[in-house]
Amino acid sequence: MRYLIALILCCLAQGVWAQDWEDQRLFPGASATTSLRIISSTDTDLFAPLIETFVSGNPDVSIEYFVTGTADIDRRFREIPDAFDIAISSAMDLQLKLTNDGYALALDNVPHPDWAEWRQSLFAFTAEPAAIVINRAAFAGVPIPQSRQELIEALRARPEVFRGRIGTYDVRRSGLGYLFATQDARASETFWRLMEVMGGLDARLYCCSGDMIDDLTLGKIAVAYNVLGSYAEARAESQNVLEIVLPSDFPTTMMRTAFVSKASRQPAAAERFIRYLVSYQSNPADGVRSLPSLQESEAGSKRAAIALEPALMTFLDTLKRNKFLTEWEDALIQD
Amino acid sequence: MTDSVAVSGSLRNRLMLTLIGGAAILALLVFFAVRNYAVQLAQEGQDNILAASATSMLDAATFRDGVVELDLPYSAFSMLSTAADDQVFYAIRQDGAFLSGYADLPFSESQMFQTDQVRGSDVRKISVSRTLIGANSRTEIQVVLAQTQDALSETLDRISRNAALLGIGFFALAAALSFWATAATIGQLGNLTTSVTRRGPQDLSPFAKPVPREMAPLVTSLNSLMGRLDQSLSQSEDFIAEAAHRVRTPLATVRSYAEATLQRVDKEENREAMRSMVKAIDESSRAAGQLLDHAMITFRADHLELEDIDFVDLVHDLVQRMTPIAEMKDLTLTLKGDARAPFSGDPVLVQNAVRNLIDNAMKYGPRESSIEIEVTAKDRPQVTVSDQGPGFPTDEIEILTARFQRGANATDTIGSGLGLTIARDVAAAHGGEVVLKNQTGGGACVTLSL
C-alpha cells in the first residue's frame, strides 16, 4: 500500500513537473560533478547542438535544460532566484529588468562588443529579426507583400481569404510578442493600422512562435506576423510551404540574451557556459549554427537590433503596460 | 691658506629645497583643485540628466476624470543610458500612494537631489513632484528617479588620473626649472670664485667684470679690502726700499773706512777682525742692494714697459761689465750660443735678473773655474748659467726661489736669498719661468726663459 502511494505520488509529481514545462531535457556530462540548471525560452531542438558541444568539451558539467515562455521565466526567476543558474530568454526587456533589479551576476572580462552586453551581466548571443511568415498557397498568383503597408493592402484586398487565418502573438501572454509589438509601435503608426486590420479579420492569437509555425505549415493560417524567422527556417519540412519576409519598411531585430543568476550555486561552471555561448555564437565561421549568430546583425547595419539600454524598461512600467495593452486590445479584439 | 672654512648648510640645497617644496605643494593644490572641480562638474552633469528625465516623466502625466495616467516616454530612460550601463530605478506615486515602478524607492520632500543606497548600490536620486488640476479636484504626482554612479566614478577615475598626471608633469617641470634657476644663481658665485682664484699673486686690482646687483656689495667690500691691502703692501715695499737705500750709502762709507783701517793695522788679530767687519758690511750692502732691486722689480713688473731688444746684446753687455769683478775672483765668464735672440721685454728687469744669476754663479763657483753663459732663441729666448760649484741641495730645489730662502750649503757665503726670487719674478712678469738643475758633472745650472 505504501509502495502504491509512493508510486502514485511519484507519478503525480513527475506529471505535475512535466506539465509545468513546455519541454525539459538532461544533457549528462561524461564525468559530471556539477549540474547546471538552465531556464530558457528557446526550443530544445534549436539549443541542443550547442549544449551537446559544451558538455562534450566540459565532461564535468551536466546540464538540465528547461523550456518555458518568456513571461514565465521572469515570474519564476523573481520567485526563486536560486532555482536556476542561467536564464536565457528572447524577451530582452524582461531580461534587462531582471539585470537592473540585481538578479544577474557580473562576469569580468568577457570578450564581447559593448552594444551586445549590459553591465557585463547580460549577454546577447543571437540577432533574430521578426518576420512576416506566409503560407505560399494563400498567395498563389498574387505578389507576396514585402512590407507592413503591403501586408495591410493585401489583407484588405481579400478579406474572405484571410478572415480567421491570420496569426500573431498574444502580447498579454508572450514577453517576446510584447517586446516586438512595443518596438513596432515606437517605430511607426503602421503597426496600429495593421493591428486594426488584423483585428477586423479575427486574427488568432498565439503564445509562441512554434505553435504559429505549426498552424502555418498545416495551412490553418495563411499569414503570421512578428514570428521569429529563425524558427521557421529551422523546420526543414516547411521549407517549401513557407515564405519568410523580413519587412522592408523597418526591421525589428531581437537579440537573445543570457545571464548567470546572482544566487547561482555553480557560478564558475555557469560563467564557463556563458563564455562558451558567447564565443560560440560570435564565430560563425566554423560551421553552421542552429541559431543565428550575433555577427550577422553587426554586418548588416540597417537591421540594427533593439538596443540593450534602460529604455527597454519603459513599456514594463505598470501604467504604461496597462495603457498599451488597452490600446492593443481595442485594436485587435473587436467583438 | 688652505685652512678649511667653517661651513654651515648649503645655499644651493636651501634654494632647491624651497623651490621644489613649493612646486610639490603647488602640484598637490593643482591636483585637488582640478579633481574637485571635475567631481562637481560630473555630478552636475548627472543631476542635469536626472532632472531632465524626471521632468519628462512628470510632463507625461495627465489627469482625466479623476484618474491619473502617466504615459512614460521612451526617451526618459533612453537618456539615462551610460557607457558603464548604469542601473535605473524609479517610482511614481500619486498623493503618496504607489502607482508603478520600484515600491522601495522613497520620495524625499526635503531634498531634490540625494546620494542614497538602493538594493546595495550607491545611487544619485532625484525627487520631483507636480500638481495636476482636474475639473473639480487636484492631485500631486511624485516621481523618484535614481541612477547608479558607475559611469560617474569611471569618469572621476579618468579625471583623477589625468589630474595626477598634470600634477606630476607640473612638478617635474617646476623641479627642472628650479634646478636650472639654482644652477644659474649659484653659478654667479662660482664665476666670482673662479676669477678670484685665477688672479696672479700680485694682482690686487679691483674687479671690473659686471656682477648681479645682489652680489655688488660683496664685490665692493672685496675691492675695498684689496685696495687697502694693495696700499699697505706698497707702503711696506716703499718702506723697505727707503730703508735699504738709507742703509746702503752709510754702509759704503763705513766699508771704505774699514778698508783704510785694514791697511794701517799690523796686528794679525786686529786685521782678522777688520776683515770680518768688511765681510759683514759687504753682506749687508748686498742685501740692501737686492732689497732695492726687488722693490724695483715688484714695481716695474706691475707696470711692465715692453721694448724690442736683442737678448744676446743685453747679456753680452752684462758679461762685459761683470768681467772685471769675475777676474778679481779668478773666474772666467764664457758667453756662447746663438748670434741673435730678439724679444720684447723690459731690459732693466731682464738685465737685473740675469745679473743676479751670474752673481750667484760667481758666489758659489770655486776659484779659477769658469762660468758658462749660454743664450739660445729656439722657441723662446732663454739664458742658461752654469757654474762648477757645489750645486743645489736636491731636497730644497723646489723652494729655493722663495723670498729669503737660502740653500743649506750656503751658510758661509754672503747672500740675502733674494737673487733667485728676483729672477723668478722677472720671468713670471714676462710669462716665463726659472728652472733649477744640477749638472751631471757637478755644479748648478739655472735656466731663465722668457
Side-chain angles (χ1 to χ4, degrees), chain B residues 274-289:
Chain B
M274 287 314 286
R275 269 195 216 99
S276 300
M277 197 167 139
V278 170
K279 198 179 168 193
I281 291 166
D282 278 351
E283 201 168 323
S284 301
S285 165
R286 189 183 148 85

Side-chain angles (χ1 to χ4, degrees), chain B residues 10-33:
Chain B
S10 154
L11 210 55
R12 177 192 297 268
N13 290 355
R14 215 178 299 170
L15 201 59
M16 289 265 293
L17 234 98
T18 315
L19 287 174
I20 291 182
I25 291 169
L26 277 180
L28 277 178
L29 277 179
V30 165
F31 171 74
F32 283 113

Side-chain angles (χ1 to χ4, degrees), chain A residues 100-101 119 183 186 317 320, chain B residues 71-72 88 90 100 102:
Chain A
N100 188 65
D101 294 358
R119 289 189 70 74
Q183 292 295 327
R186 264 189 70 218
D317 176 70
K320 184 92 174 172
Chain B
D71 190 10
L72 210 58
V88 173
Y90 72 100
S100 75
Y102 293 75

Side-chain angles (χ1 to χ4, degrees), chain A residues 153-186:
Chain A
E153 283 157 16
L155 295 181
R156 278 183 180 154
R158 296 185 295 157
E160 70 287 354
V161 177
F162 297 110
R163 185 165 306 277
R165 293 188 65 208
I166 313 165
T168 190
Y169 275 115
D170 184 347
V171 302
R172 293 165 298 188
R173 286 189 289 157
S174 162
L176 176 61
Y178 185 72
L179 174 69
F180 279 155
T182 52
Q183 292 295 327
D184 277 0
R186 264 189 70 218

Side-chain angles (χ1 to χ4, degrees), chain B residues 50-273:
Chain B
L50 277 175
S53 177
T55 309
S56 76
M57 286 164 76
L58 275 184
D59 281 348
T62 52
F63 189 41
R64 202 172 296 136
D65 306 330
V67 177
V68 168
E69 272 187 18
L70 202 149
D71 190 10
L72 210 58
Y74 206 73
S75 61
F77 291 158
S78 196
M79 73 173 83
L80 293 176
S81 287
T82 59
D85 297 334
D86 274 303
Q87 286 163 277
V88 173
F89 307 102
Y90 72 100
I92 302 168
R93 288 189 178 79
Q94 179 185 8
D95 298 324
F98 176 73
L99 282 186
S100 75
Y102 293 75
D104 51 355
L105 205 61
F107 182 82
S108 164
E109 296 281 355
S110 53
Q111 272 179 295
M112 185 167 167
F113 290 106
Q114 269 178 309
T115 304
D116 204 352
Q117 276 238 331
V118 174
R119 299 181 182 221
S121 310
D122 288 321
V123 295
R124 186 72 176 168
K125 198 174 91 172
I126 182 174
S127 308
V128 285
S129 63
R130 177 184 168 201
T131 305
L132 299 174
I133 298 160
N136 42 24
S137 62
R138 57 171 53 207
T139 186
E140 194 190 27
I141 289 290
Q142 299 169 331
V143 165
V144 189
L145 188 60
Q147 187 182 29
T148 51
Q149 300 194 293
D150 298 353
L152 188 78
S153 56
E154 269 175 31
T155 310
L156 287 187
D157 284 351
R158 208 168 55 240
I159 289 171
S160 295
R161 234 180 355 257
N162 287 345
L165 281 180
L166 185 75
I168 290 170
F170 179 83
F171 176 73
L173 197 70
L177 276 177
S178 51
F179 265 112
W180 175 78
T182 310
T185 313
I186 300 295
Q188 291 293 336
L189 281 177
N191 287 346
L192 185 66
T193 310
T194 312
S195 65
V196 171
T197 316
R198 272 219 202 115
R199 294 200 147 206
Q202 287 351 188
D203 188 357
L204 290 173
S205 61
F207 289 94
K209 250 166 82 179
V211 292
R213 190 184 307 135
E214 290 75 11
M215 278 163 63
L218 171 66
V219 173
T220 310
S221 309
L222 207 57
N223 280 345
S224 98
L225 175 69
M226 285 199 300
R228 275 176 280 147
L229 196 62
D230 193 24
Q231 204 182 359
S232 83
L233 266 183
S234 64
Q235 267 175 2
S236 62
E237 296 264 354
D238 287 352
F239 175 76
I240 291 166
E242 186 68 22
H245 182 69
R246 296 266 174 121
V247 166
R248 205 157 60 155
T249 321
L251 273 181
T253 316
V254 172
R255 189 182 191 279
S256 61
Y257 281 119
E259 285 278 353
T261 313
L262 183 63
Q263 301 302 318
R264 275 180 276 140
V265 173
D266 294 332
K267 226 171 168 182
E268 189 49 38
E269 55 190 82
N270 290 347
R271 284 179 72 91
E272 189 54 39

Side-chain angles (χ1 to χ4, degrees), chain A residues 6-232:
Chain A
L7 196 67
I8 290 169
L9 275 178
C10 188
C11 289
L12 206 66
Q14 200 113 53
V16 166
W17 188 243
Q19 273 173 1
D20 250 8
W21 301 98
E22 286 177 22
D23 192 10
Q24 76 176 96
R25 197 185 294 180
L26 175 69
F27 297 85
S31 55
T33 53
T34 53
S35 171
L36 282 182
R37 290 165 65 86
I38 298 179
I39 185 169
S40 167
S41 67
T42 308
D43 286 356
T44 317
D45 294 339
L46 288 174
F47 219 75
L50 201 146
I51 298 182
E52 277 157 6
T53 322
F54 175 79
V55 171
S56 67
N58 298 269
D60 58 321
V61 180
S62 52
I63 287 177
E64 281 179 90
Y65 190 74
F66 301 91
V67 181
T68 186
T70 47
D72 198 39
I73 292 175
D74 187 63
R75 185 182 56 77
R76 281 175 191 265
F77 215 92
R78 283 176 191 278
E79 271 172 16
I80 319 166
D82 63 348
F84 302 95
D85 300 300
I86 292 171
I88 295 171
S89 169
S90 49
M92 295 167 72
D93 47 357
L94 293 173
Q95 292 279 88
L96 188 116
K97 192 155 196 310
L98 279 172
T99 310
N100 188 65
D101 294 358
Y103 288 103
L105 183 72
L107 309 179
D108 288 335
N109 303 320
V110 176
H112 209 45
D114 196 45
W115 54 266
E117 55 90 17
W118 200 68
R119 289 189 70 74
Q120 293 181 310
S121 309
L122 185 63
F123 299 92
F125 61 94
T126 68
E128 301 170 52
I132 303 169
V133 182
I134 284 167
N135 189 319
R136 288 208 179 98
F139 283 83
V142 185
I144 288 174
Q146 295 300 319
S147 68
R148 291 175 181 80
Q149 190 57 44
E150 283 176 29
L151 179 62
I152 291 173
E153 283 157 16
L155 295 181
R156 278 183 180 154
R158 296 185 295 157
E160 70 287 354
V161 177
F162 297 110
R163 185 165 306 277
R165 293 188 65 208
I166 313 165
T168 190
Y169 275 115
D170 184 347
V171 302
R172 293 165 298 188
R173 286 189 289 157
S174 162
L176 176 61
Y178 185 72
L179 174 69
F180 279 155
T182 52
Q183 292 295 327
D184 277 0
R186 264 189 70 218
S188 167
E189 274 298 308
T190 316
F191 170 75
W192 289 117
R193 274 189 285 133
L194 179 61
M195 285 302 113
E196 277 163 16
V197 171
M198 285 169 74
L201 292 171
D202 298 332
R204 297 167 70 153
L205 300 177
Y206 293 85
C207 77
C208 335
S209 276
D211 294 355
M212 246 187 288
I213 290 162
D214 284 346
D215 280 2
L216 205 56
T217 313
L218 293 173
K220 285 188 187 169
I221 54 172
V223 178
Y225 178 70
N226 266 358
V227 190
L228 283 176
S230 49
Y231 276 41

Side-chain angles (χ1 to χ4, degrees), chain B residues 342-358:
Chain B
F343 84 105
S344 161
D346 186 330
V348 181
L349 288 186
V350 176
Q351 212 167 45
N352 204 309
V354 177
R355 194 183 63 228
N356 267 295
L357 295 184
I358 299 175

